[in-house]
Amino acid sequence: MQLYALGLNHHTAPLSIRERVAFQPERLDDALHDLTHARTVREAAILSTCNRTELYFATEQPQHAADWLARFHQMSLKEVSPYLYTYPQRDAIRHVFRVASGLDSMVLGEPQILGQVKDAVRRAEEAGTMGTLLHKLFQNTFAVAKEVRSTTAIGANIVSMAAAAVHLSERIFERIADQRVLFIGAGEMIELCAAHFAGATPKEMVVANRTEARAQVVASRFGAQVMRLDAIGDVLPQFDVVVSCTASPLPIVGLGMVERAIKARRHKPMVMVDLAVPRDIEAEVGALDDVFLYTVDDLAQVVDAGLESRQQAVIEAEEIINTRVDGFLHWMQARDAVPTIKALRQHAEMVRAVELERASKLLAKGEDPHKVLDALSQGLINKLMHGPTRFLNQSEGEQQAEAARVVQQLFNLNSHD
């Protein structure tokens, strides 16, 4: 029985594929039961977020999980297999440690993923699909994630444009939770920004895009609302933070539109983040007293300042993870040895019982106790040494040297004595 991780994420699969293999919360229990029903997969947990769908499981046949994943989502294996990765044992352990620690996230070091992993484990526990192996794996996973976050600066510095947008907004507004945020566009950068702002739980988030269907895809992930792009001018005064990133060749937000919004807001400050090239927001907007306009170049400066320390934190985190992977594998190997250890002790106990019974009978007959004890010890030695001696005598050629090495290591012998 081996541990495996199988799935796809934002590194390997486009959104169109990730959507199709995502698990809806209401179907997760059924999925877990279905996956483990045939007993080919003994233990299982499913992590499903907007950026990844992953199965963590114990089995002897990992291909069964890939077949099941495709079948459950009514896809052919040929459709999904180009995007799948399968990690055996050591790689699987390392992967889940990295995921929970935020090293495999779209936003490096983001803290939300740890809570999502814990939710996945809780659902698997409630479904009854967690066993000894996965329980121990996830106990170690949470300990590793805590160690990484508490002993490194993995989440302390800004290393993405999206994170920088939140950081700059927090310079103006002490609490993002009290603000309303408007996103203009629905591409990957807006999705990243929405993920970061969602972590700060703003009062309201709205996505405006030329294609409302695409806006709805982004909005649904973060509990945001959707509006038409041509309605921005009417509602702009309602928003404290505006983040824009479209492919428009001309500005979408003009100076006059913002001037009217500031007047309607009674000069309450407004943060505007323009991530588009060419610009979505007219440059002249930045000259308004109550508007804090940041461009791609402004955010890049914030990102550059955090890169060096974050890179060192990643190195430190990877070292922690590698050490903990070795520790968990050692536990697994020791666990695998338990049946052999138990059998060895039972064999020794049987030998002891037989020799003790023989000695007791001799003592009952009045035999010399010293001779009985000597015979007892000789009997124990002969029977316990019979197996290793036969092992050495039956070995030939290259196996003989290996057999000698094993026995010397087993009994802690010094070959020079």
Side-chain angles (χ1 to χ4, degrees), residues 30 62 81 141 202 231 245 250-251 272 304-305 314 319 360 369 373 389 407:
D30 291 339
S81 61
T141 297
C245 186
L250 298 173
M272 306 193 81
D304 288 343
V314 169
E319 289 175 352
S360 298
L373 287 174
T389 302
V407 171

Side-chain angles (χ1 to χ4, degrees), residues 161-162 164-166 168-169 182-185 189-190 193 197 241-254 258 270-286 291-300:
M161 292 288 189
V166 178
L168 291 173
S169 299
L182 171 65
F183 299 102
I184 303 175
M189 182 56 74
I190 289 295
C193 288
F197 274 97
V241 180
V242 178
V243 182
S244 187
C245 186
T246 75
S248 174
L250 298 173
I252 293 174
V253 179
V258 179
M270 177 184 284
V271 171
M272 306 193 81
V273 181
D274 189 352
L275 297 171
V277 179
R279 300 185 188 198
D280 280 342
I281 303 172
E282 286 186 345
E284 292 78 7
V285 169
V291 176
F292 296 86
L293 175 62
Y294 300 105
T295 66
V296 169
D297 291 344
D298 298 321
L299 271 65

Side-chain angles (χ1 to χ4, degrees), residues 29-277:
D29 287 357
D30 291 339
L32 286 164
H33 290 142
D34 192 50
L35 174 58
T36 57
H37 175 70
R39 305 303 295 169
T40 307
V41 172
R42 300 289 182 86
E43 304 179 28
I46 298 175
L47 173 63
S48 186
T49 73
C50 58
N51 288 329
R52 70 180 65 245
T53 292
E54 293 180 338
L55 314 180
Y56 302 104
F57 57 99
T59 186
E60 295 174 355
Q61 301 174 352
Q63 185 58 41
H64 174 80
D67 295 336
W68 173 85
L69 181 65
R71 185 174 66 253
F72 187 86
H73 291 291
Q74 299 179 341
M75 300 173 67
S76 69
L77 186 60
K78 185 177 179 180
E79 283 182 280
V80 72
S81 61
Y83 308 102
L84 288 178
Y85 43 80
T86 302
Y87 296 124
Q89 200 98 309
R90 174 182 283 276
D91 292 336
I93 298 165
R94 182 172 183 271
H95 179 70
V96 69
F97 286 0
R98 294 185 80 253
V99 167
S101 299
L103 296 183
D104 195 58
S105 297
M106 185 179 288
V107 179
L108 182 65
E110 58 93 4
Q112 288 86 1
I113 186 63
L114 179 57
Q116 292 167 332
V117 174
K118 288 183 176 180
D119 285 343
V121 171
R122 178 182 56 80
R123 293 296 297 269
E125 286 176 338
E126 291 173 353
T129 60
M130 292 275 285
T132 303
L133 206 53
L134 284 189
H135 270 296
K136 190 70 173 181
L137 173 65
F138 285 112
Q139 283 177 1
N140 279 258
T141 297
F142 301 146
V144 169
K146 181 179 180 180
E147 184 177 1
V148 166
R149 293 183 184 281
S150 61
T151 62
T152 75
I154 194 64
N157 299 287
I158 309 301
V159 293
S160 74
M161 292 288 189
V166 178
H167 176 71
L168 291 173
S169 299
E170 288 174 336
R171 287 183 179 178
I172 310 305
F173 301 115
E174 185 176 346
R175 279 172 47 84
I176 297 297
D178 296 331
Q179 315 308 318
R180 291 181 167 86
V181 184
L182 171 65
F183 299 102
I184 303 175
E188 183 177 347
M189 182 56 74
I190 289 295
E191 188 173 355
L192 279 170
C193 288
H196 273 280
F197 274 97
T201 61
K203 186 179 293 185
E204 181 184 19
M205 295 198 303
V206 177
V207 180
N209 192 52
R210 294 190 192 281
T211 306
E212 286 193 49
R214 172 58 190 161
Q216 188 60 56
V217 169
V218 176
S220 63
R221 286 187 170 82
F222 307 107
Q225 303 300 313
V226 172
M227 62 173 288
R228 299 193 322 273
L229 194 64
D230 59 12
I232 288 175
D234 297 331
V235 300
L236 194 60
Q238 301 174 17
F239 296 97
D240 308 291
V241 180
V242 178
V243 182
S244 187
C245 186
T246 75
S248 174
L250 298 173
I252 293 174
V253 179
L255 177 62
M257 184 188 297
V258 179
E259 285 178 328
R260 291 190 294 274
I262 289 297
K263 185 177 180 180
R265 289 171 60 84
R266 296 182 179 179
H267 298 278
K268 180 184 176 183
M270 177 184 284
V271 171
M272 306 193 81
V273 181
D274 189 352
L275 297 171
V277 179

Side-chain angles (χ1 to χ4, degrees), residues 347-348 351-352 355 358 373-389 411:
H347 170 70
V351 169
R352 186 193 70 84
E355 292 303 318
R358 179 180 290 124
L373 287 174
D374 185 62
L376 171 64
S377 62
Q378 289 292 335
L380 286 172
I381 289 174
N382 291 337
K383 289 187 176 180
L384 291 176
M385 290 297 100
H386 176 70
T389 302
F411 291 96

